[in-house]
Amino acid sequence: SKLPSVPSTTDLTINASKDDCNDSSGGKAKLIDNASDVMISSEEKREKLEQLRRRQKELKQKNEVSNLKNLINRQRQLLRTQGQELTESSTQLESVVSDIVSKQTLLNESNKRLEELNHRKKIMEGMMLRATEKLMTARKALGQHKQRT
């Protein structure tokens, strides 16, 4: 993240060889050309560095997007699995509820039948009690009739 050090034009002037400075046949022009070449290469370096930074940023964004897509896919798979489990559980629950309703119906029918049988039992007990009373009355009457005769 640190920019490479680029020599300034003053450094270039100081570091220029004496021959270039003392050369009367275009030494100054060479120095200016060298400085402009360094400035151009320095500018190119900055541009390349900016491009690298942009590219790095884009790659990070692509990587983040890819990671998020993977996360979404895992979440979707998890939701699908949970949905299947929920469907199976719902089916089992419906089956249990159906069994409970069926058993409740059978229990209600059994209770109704038990009530009917208890009612019949009371009727039969009443009939037996009356028959026993009649039999006892008839025996008593017969015993009294035999004592008279």
Side-chain angles (χ1 to χ4, degrees):
S1 63
K2 202 172 186 186
L3 290 175
S5 62
V6 177
S8 67
T9 51
T10 345
D11 292 339
L12 291 173
T13 307
I14 292 171
N15 292 332
S17 70
K18 291 180 181 178
D19 291 338
D20 286 344
C21 290
N22 294 331
D23 188 8
S24 61
S25 60
K28 289 182 184 177
K30 279 186 184 179
L31 184 60
I32 291 173
D33 286 344
N34 284 341
S36 65
D37 285 348
V38 169
M39 289 176 69
I40 289 174
S41 66
S42 172
E43 189 62 34
E44 286 175 355
K45 286 179 184 178
R46 283 190 197 111
E47 286 177 15
K48 284 184 181 181
L49 188 59
E50 274 303 310
Q51 284 178 340
L52 287 174
R53 286 183 180 153
R54 279 193 299 266
R55 203 162 140 217
Q56 186 178 20
K57 186 177 179 181
E58 288 173 7
L59 288 174
K60 281 183 183 179
Q61 288 174 345
K62 284 181 182 179
N63 193 22
E64 287 177 10
V65 167
S66 177
N67 288 340
L68 288 173
K69 283 181 182 179
N70 289 336
L71 177 66
I72 289 170
N73 287 333
R74 286 194 304 268
Q75 293 293 327
R76 283 183 179 158
Q77 182 59 38
L78 182 63
L79 285 174
R80 266 192 294 273
T81 303
Q82 289 176 344
Q84 290 170 350
E85 290 173 1
L86 184 60
T87 301
E88 290 172 8
S89 296
S90 295
T91 302
Q92 291 174 354
L93 183 61
E94 287 173 3
S95 175
V96 168
V97 167
S98 176
D99 287 348
I100 290 173
V101 167
S102 175
K103 288 179 181 178
Q104 186 66 43
T105 302
L106 288 174
L107 180 63
N108 290 342
E109 290 174 2
S110 296
N111 284 337
K112 187 176 178 181
R113 177 83 171 133
L114 182 62
E115 286 178 16
E116 289 173 2
L117 291 174
N118 281 334
H119 182 67
R120 276 186 172 177
K121 179 182 173 186
K122 286 182 184 179
I123 292 173
M124 294 295 281
E125 286 175 347
M127 288 172 64
M128 286 178 62
L129 184 62
R130 285 190 297 275
T132 304
E133 287 175 356
K134 281 185 184 180
L135 180 61
M136 290 176 68
T137 306
R139 283 189 179 172
K140 190 176 183 182
L142 182 61
Q144 287 175 357
H145 184 53
K146 281 187 181 180
Q147 283 180 353
R148 284 191 214 157
T149 50

